[in-house]
Amino acid sequence: MSKKYKNPPIVEAIFEIRLSDDTNWDPTVPGLMYEKLKGEFPTLGKALVQEVKVNQDKDKLKNINVVSIERTLFFAENKKSFVQLAPRLLTVNVLKPYPGWESFQRLIELAWNGLKDVVNINGIKYVKLRYINNIELSSCSVELKDYFVFYPFVGESFPQQINSFIVGIEFQYAEDRDVCRAILTKNKCLQNENKAQFTLDLRYFTNKSNEIGSSKVLEWVEEAHLNIRGVFEACITDKLRSTFKEDE
């Protein structure tokens, strides 16, 4: 992602921000947001999403509840990008084909500035930038080291033909203000297709509540993108990189 590719492996990119619990939210917010977004996202939709709610009392776990939350969706005409809105939650999603960082960044700025115009924001719980990459290789039998710099170590006493795996790692940024989590998964190979399929899921997010003020969110997003694309490039080899066809 530090380079531009003609065939990037990104299947979805997501910006997500959750506001503090003391930020006031009322039923008029979705309608007000539509007025801000309708030029880019003219089509409305609804979705029910299950969320886990953890209630704590003096740092002791009190109870865990799974609740259904209704989200308002604002779709672009081509349905390849959309905004999700729920109480104190905003996401911006773009789907394959990835339109490039400049386009994604512009949508994030539009949605975030719109929310700031209609909601008095008291604080921010977290901000997250996420890239989901699907990587398909033309054979089930591949040497991981030929394509990845980040993959599981398997000692000589184990069988060397790995059917599937999941491996993850976290990196600290900005004096532990931010974290980048990289998760590489190999899916079970379908012999009739003879293809190896991998998912590289990169998530960059704030590690603590109220570390970012509302006026600094877009600045944080730019920094997050620089760091997450650096991790992406560090995870892969030139052999894999060449399959994405670098744009001149």
Side-chain angles (χ1 to χ4, degrees):
M1 286 177 288
S2 58
K3 305 174 185 291
K4 290 187 177 181
Y5 298 110
K6 295 179 181 178
N7 185 32
I10 301 163
V11 293
E12 186 171 11
I14 306 121
F15 165 78
E16 180 177 324
I17 188 163
R18 187 174 289 275
L19 308 180
S20 61
D21 293 338
D22 61 348
T23 294
N24 185 49
W25 192 276
D26 65 64
T28 65
V29 173
L32 294 172
M33 276 293 285
Y34 181 67
E35 292 302 313
K36 301 289 183 179
L37 301 178
K38 63 184 181 182
E40 190 80 38
F41 301 97
T43 305
L44 287 173
K46 298 285 185 181
L48 280 178
V49 178
Q50 289 191 330
E51 295 185 2
V52 176
K53 297 290 185 181
V54 180
N55 298 316
Q56 289 184 320
D57 185 15
K58 296 182 180 179
D59 298 325
K60 293 182 180 179
L61 186 63
K62 190 174 182 181
N63 56 60
I64 299 176
N65 296 314
V66 178
V67 296
S68 293
I69 304 293
E70 184 178 78
R71 294 187 182 183
T72 303
L73 278 62
F74 308 80
F75 291 98
E77 287 186 359
N78 64 5
K79 300 294 179 72
K80 295 297 184 180
S81 61
F82 56 96
V83 172
Q84 299 184 73
L85 190 68
R88 302 173 190 85
L89 175 71
L90 172 75
T91 83
V92 181
N93 303 62
V94 296
L95 306 177
K96 184 179 180 179
Y98 181 62
W101 170 241
E102 292 79 9
S103 295
F104 185 29
Q105 184 182 36
R106 181 180 62 82
L107 297 180
I108 293 171
E109 184 173 355
L110 173 67
W112 174 241
N113 285 338
L115 187 64
K116 286 197 301 179
D117 285 346
V118 302
V119 174
N120 184 19
I121 297 169
N122 287 336
I124 295 170
K125 273 192 172 182
Y126 67 79
V127 196
K128 182 189 298 181
L129 189 65
R130 181 181 181 187
Y131 280 86
I132 303 172
N133 302 274
N134 281 357
I135 298 164
E136 187 174 272
L137 302 178
S138 59
S139 172
C140 283
S141 300
V142 296
E143 287 285 344
L144 294 175
K145 65 181 180 181
D146 289 344
Y147 297 94
F148 299 99
V149 180
F150 163 57
Y151 56 88
F153 168 77
V154 179
E156 294 180 358
S157 60
F158 289 96
Q160 296 302 300
Q161 294 298 319
I162 302 174
N163 196 27
S164 63
F165 65 76
I166 180 169
V167 61
I169 191 169
E170 286 191 352
F171 304 97
Q172 284 185 7
Y173 289 87
E175 298 180 346
D176 200 30
R177 183 199 67 187
D178 302 336
V179 170
C180 185
R181 179 181 299 151
I183 301 171
L184 179 65
T185 304
K186 180 179 185 289
N187 302 318
K188 186 176 180 179
C189 194
L190 300 176
Q191 294 296 332
N192 60 332
E193 296 183 1
N194 195 31
K195 294 178 181 178
Q197 296 180 331
F198 301 85
T199 300
L200 179 58
D201 188 341
L202 302 176
R203 311 177 191 189
Y204 190 100
F205 52 93
T206 52
N207 198 27
K208 302 172 185 176
S209 296
N210 297 314
E211 286 291 302
I212 302 294
S214 60
S215 64
K216 298 292 185 180
V217 167
L218 296 178
E219 181 181 318
W220 180 94
V221 168
E222 180 67 32
E223 182 179 349
H225 177 255
L226 288 171
N227 290 332
I228 204 172
R229 76 183 190 181
V231 172
F232 173 80
E233 294 292 343
C235 284
I236 64 174
T237 66
D238 285 340
K239 185 173 182 178
L240 179 55
R241 194 173 284 113
S242 68
T243 68
F244 306 145
K245 294 182 172 55
E246 187 176 350
D247 208 352
E248 298 297 334

